Amino acid sequence: MYTKKVMDHFTNPRNMGELQDADGVGTVGNAKCGDIMRIYLKVEDEVIKDVTFKTFGCGAAVATSSIATELVKGKTIRDALKITNDAVVEALDGLPKAKIHCSLLAEEALHAALWDYSQKHGIEIEGLEPPKEDVGEHHHEDALEEA
Amino acid sequence: MEKRVYFDHAATTPTHPEVVEAMMPYFTQSFGNPSSIYEIAQINKKAIDSAREQVAKLIHADPMEIYFTSGATEADNWAIKGIAESYKKKGNHIITTTTEHHAVLHTCEYLEKQGYEVTYLPVDEYGVVHIEDLKAAIKDTTILITIMMANNEIGTVQSVGEIGALAREKGILFHTDAVQAVGQIPVDVKDMHIDLLSISGHKLNGPKGIGALYVKKGVRLKAFIHGGAQERRRRGGTENVPGIVGLGKAMEIAGSHMEAKAKSLIALRDKLIDGIKEKVPYCKLNGHPEQRLPNNVNYSFEFIEGESLLIMLDMKGISASSGSACTSGSLDPSHVLLGIGLPHEIAHGSLRITLGMHSSEEDVDYLLEVLPSIVQRLRDMSPLYEDFVKKQG
């Protein structure tokens, strides 16, 4: 079902983890739909010096997050913004049709993290839009009680 | 050699070697068409009769009440559409549940589009249908109750005898999809007051592409496939003789070992249930704690997604299943898990482990050894778990 590249990034995710003192953090997706991606950024002189991710989701969701971090690391904000979901899919040698939404989520997560960075530092980034407010809350205790 | 452990027997089972052996002559030696007159044809006819007896015996039916089909999906379709059409003058109301197999649900949805009315009964948190809800749903126009005997995902076994007795008392026909139950637990169509019952070959170590529908004597059921005189003119088409022989043999084997098999499966099942509960925090057993199939374990693991779990288990040589949306190509996780009241995010993280004839204690120990670290690895990747840990302080 998945390409070797997807499996490689799923089993050996690059840049996975929380980034302490991140300059920007973006979380997108919805637990209800089974996908949540969070991207952490460290930015210096408008260059993405470090980037990490955390993902709740399927193999494709993990792989797209992982490769997206590789694609933007070391790039300027302007160049990072040019990376689309198509580039993510291409870099993974393709994704099944039903999983294309994962690559869109990776693009959105990166944009959300850049938006957070821009808001925190009072910087306007041309072409960057605020993220969609659809991150589902995870009512862990309630869920267990209800179940 | 790479270790392989198969834990997906609710999806399909390996064909029993004795079943394969029984089927073989009907491919190459006795290949005659059972409708023909010569000897190699008549051998086939006898083989079909014999298989019909084997199938009937396990469910305490009369052989003439057994009709062979291409599988349980066809049997479910035939039973529901057939009764709806045959009893149209009596009424147009059908009762089922929200947690049936899609072969039943989609057939009911199709009938709704044809003008029939369908009530989808809720189930409780364990997947059990309450008899009071069923009583309340019955109308003067109700012609059929179709409720599965045991759920394919969470393993919950319904009180079919009670449902059947109520249906009989009210003069309503009762169909049950018994795909997961037959060969695993005792089934008696007479004691359970069942009018129609669906069986699948490949779920009980028989071949794929063969099933059966039990139709109680006296129940009016229109022909499903029009053609030749096969299956007493109710299901035309040259019989799948090797498949029918295989189903018969599989039913015979299942019947002869059922009690011993159930005992050993229950021991393995309970070891898994207890072991997972002990080794993996933040998990929940889905389905009824006692009223469940001997081979079914279904857990939801918080903070993780089922497909990722399945891939990682597969990489360790373990084949299992999930009710996660990602494995079905839809956005919603399993309708059964939602039906028992699980929130979407918990339902996404489900794992179904179903045991079978080759399952061993070693397999169970292996799963219990690898599962906790895989779950933890995925949780370490999950922002939901990160938030939870931070919240805990």
Side-chain angles (χ1 to χ4, degrees), chain A:
Chain A
M1 184 172 106
Y2 290 135
T3 63
K4 275 185 182 174
K5 205 97 176 262
V6 172
M7 287 304 289
D8 178 31
H9 276 267
F10 172 66
T11 50
N12 304 294
R14 283 48 148 189
N15 308 309
M16 198 283 292
E18 187 184 353
L19 196 57
Q20 297 297 329
D21 305 319
D23 295 317
V25 182
T27 307
V28 297
N30 193 319
K32 206 178 161 186
C33 300
D35 289 306
I36 287 196
M37 282 186 202
R38 180 172 293 164
I39 287 202
Y40 302 84
L41 293 174
K42 199 97 183 132
V43 182
E44 273 175 38
D45 300 327
E46 296 203 2
V47 170
I48 298 173
K49 285 284 178 197
D50 204 0
V51 50
T52 63
F53 80 93
K54 284 220 171 175
T55 291
F56 160 80
C58 60
V62 172
T64 53
S65 325
S66 168
I67 202 139
T69 60
E70 278 204 325
L71 289 173
V72 301
K73 202 171 185 175
K75 288 212 164 46
T76 63
I77 290 170
R78 191 179 292 233
D79 285 343
L81 270 175
K82 287 180 196 158
I83 291 165
T84 62
N85 77 299
D86 289 338
V88 170
V89 174
E90 202 186 317
L92 287 171
D93 295 337
L95 277 176
K97 211 174 172 185
K99 305 283 186 177
I100 296 291
H101 73 275
C102 295
S103 63
L104 278 163
L105 220 52
E107 183 188 312
E108 285 172 18
L110 174 67
H111 287 196
L114 285 168
W115 178 262
D116 183 53
Y117 162 73
S118 72
Q119 297 301 294
K120 279 178 180 162
H121 295 81
I123 299 165
E124 197 176 325
I125 303 174
E126 201 187 328
L128 187 64
E129 289 178 9
K132 289 173 198 157
E133 295 290 330
D134 72 338
V135 177
E137 258 192 273
H138 186 68
H139 299 289
H140 168 254
E141 294 86 354
D142 296 349
L144 267 189
E145 276 165 25
E146 281 166 21

Side-chain angles (χ1 to χ4, degrees), chain B residues 70 100 217 269 279 316 323:
Chain B
S70 65
E100 297 296 307
K217 233 175 264 172
R269 177 197 73 183
K279 287 169 181 269
K316 292 280 183 186

Side-chain angles (χ1 to χ4, degrees), chain B residues 350-380:
Chain B
S350 72
L351 175 68
R352 180 184 74 177
I353 304 154
T354 43
L355 308 159
M357 62 185 269
H358 297 304
S359 301
S360 66
E361 193 151 3
E362 194 191 350
D363 295 342
V364 167
D365 288 338
Y366 180 59
L367 179 78
L368 289 173
E369 182 194 322
V370 302
L371 183 69
S373 59
I374 290 177
V375 171
Q376 192 53 49
R377 190 168 170 213
L378 289 169
R379 282 179 176 164
D380 288 342

